[in-house]
Amino acid sequence: MSLSKDLYSILMALARKKIISANWKMHITASQVLPYLTVFLSEMTVMEAVEVILIPPFTSLPKASEIVQATSHTRTLPLRLGAQNISSHEKGAFTGEIAAMMLCDLKVDCVLIGHSERRQLFGENNKIIHEKMMRAHDHHLSPILCVGETWDERSLGKEKKILEQQLREALCNLSRDQIARTIIAYEPVWAIGTGQTASLDQAEEMHSFIRGMISECSDETTAQHIRIQYGGSVTPLNAKEMLSGPNIDGALVGGASLDPHSFAEIVKHASNFST
Ligand code: PEP
């Protein structure tokens, strides 16, 4: 018996575990990691239905890694570690850069690529982003590929065209397995750090467009399995509504992740949709 496409999509949405990431940006020093995680973990009970990715700045990664490793056998909340950036080069004379193998050595297993702050403030274009994607995959790191339009692009009705270009150029030449291991974060630039969250309808429309693009770059099964997070001013107040979208598989949280209580609240909202 074959399932109808709609029913298949609904079943897949239920099967995709929600994934909530904390992008600490340039906040939380190494010595602040333990106090933060002590509070955060004390608020987490049994939550195997949600995945949490901590994305500290580089200098806090060793401490965060130590704690994630130490708690991995006791906790039920799957906790993963991500980095905020990666060099597109393998190794060598690149002062100030961090190589993929250095991240792997710290048991980091995912990495943000193409965050709008990297695109806008550090001149990262789609070509560099593609190179970083390849480098991450060479080392079996899961990229969290950030895509999103500016307000000007949206006002001109170009939001889908921009996303299409970002996705095609980042994902071209990737194998089906590599695309399947990628996490996508739809982050409208106008919503990041502004307090102006996209509406659920806007986010759903863009997430379903992204799924369609993944189907084109890969296939329908990969498109239904891939997880697409929403990012842009997610807080404990709006997380419940945002996470209710069938195509919204989690959140990438910046500002609200700096407080362990509010980040814990967002994770709890996600767990209600995943069980
Ligand atoms: C981000 O940094 O990716 C982000 C979404 O930030 P904020 O939650 O503060 O908008």
Side-chain angles (χ1 to χ4, degrees):
M1 188 181 75
S2 69
L3 295 174
S4 77
K5 194 161 176 258
D6 283 355
L7 182 56
Y8 177 66
S9 303
I10 291 167
L11 290 174
M12 281 313 304
L14 290 172
R16 289 189 301 264
K17 196 184 263 195
K18 298 259 193 233
I19 186 162
I20 307 292
S21 308
N23 177 14
W24 291 348
K25 309 197 189 198
M26 204 167 70
H27 300 281
I28 307 196
T29 63
S31 54
Q32 291 170 329
V33 173
L34 180 58
Y36 177 105
L37 285 180
T38 305
V39 173
F40 173 70
L41 290 171
S42 72
E43 297 196 13
M44 295 293 108
T45 49
V46 181
M47 288 205 183
E48 56 278 279
V50 184
E51 254 173 62
V52 171
I53 305 180
L54 301 173
I55 312 179
F58 287 126
T59 50
S60 298
L61 273 175
K63 189 67 199 171
S65 178
E66 200 184 291
I67 299 169
V68 169
Q69 302 308 310
T71 55
S72 63
H73 58 288
T74 52
R75 59 179 164 68
T76 46
L77 174 72
L79 210 49
R80 297 172 64 180
L81 198 57
Q84 294 180 16
N85 191 15
I86 185 178
S87 172
S88 58
H89 301 280
E90 181 62 19
K91 61 178 173 179
F94 299 103
T95 304
E97 289 289 274
I98 304 286
M101 66 178 141
M102 296 168 181
L103 300 177
C104 296
D105 194 47
L106 285 176
K107 309 275 187 275
V108 167
D109 84 328
C110 28
V111 58
L112 280 181
I113 297 183
H115 191 282
S116 70
E117 286 152 18
R118 301 289 323 166
R119 291 179 193 261
Q120 294 199 318
L121 305 174
F122 299 95
E124 289 191 11
N125 58 27
N126 289 337
K127 180 175 175 288
I128 296 173
I129 288 162
H130 174 63
E131 288 166 4
K132 291 186 173 197
M133 293 287 290
M134 299 293 273
R135 188 66 60 197
H137 279 302
D138 282 350
H139 290 265
H140 304 287
L141 289 162
S142 294
I144 304 174
L145 171 67
C146 303
V147 293
E149 79 287 356
T150 63
W151 184 254
D152 282 354
E153 289 160 348
R154 178 167 277 267
S155 348
L156 293 169
K158 289 187 175 166
E159 63 274 20
K160 290 189 179 142
K161 199 170 159 26
I162 295 294
L163 249 62
E164 177 171 350
Q165 205 172 353
Q166 291 174 339
L167 288 163
R168 276 199 202 285
E169 292 188 31
L171 300 176
C172 66
N173 302 336
L174 259 58
S175 69
R176 200 170 74 152
D177 285 356
Q178 288 172 330
I179 294 181
R181 226 180 34 245
T182 300
I183 298 163
I184 310 282
Y186 168 59
E187 298 209 300
V189 180
W190 46 273
I192 299 181
T194 59
Q196 191 192 345
T197 322
S199 69
L200 178 57
D201 284 352
Q202 284 170 327
E204 257 300 314
E205 186 184 353
M206 298 305 272
H207 282 225
S208 121
F209 175 75
I210 292 170
R211 229 176 269 293
M213 284 295 308
I214 300 294
S215 173
E216 264 188 48
C217 295
S218 179
D219 57 36
E220 183 57 21
T221 308
T222 309
Q224 289 301 330
H225 275 94
I226 205 162
R227 285 180 293 175
I228 308 173
Q229 300 182 297
Y230 167 81
S233 299
V234 172
T235 67
L237 292 178
N238 58 35
K240 187 174 174 193
E241 187 190 357
M242 190 53 88
L243 292 168
S244 68
N247 280 297
I248 298 174
D249 305 315
L252 174 52
V253 188
S257 73
L258 299 180
D259 172 8
H261 299 287
S262 49
F263 187 55
E265 257 193 78
I266 294 170
V267 173
K268 284 181 208 163
H269 282 308
S271 80
N272 292 335
F273 290 104
S274 297
T275 44

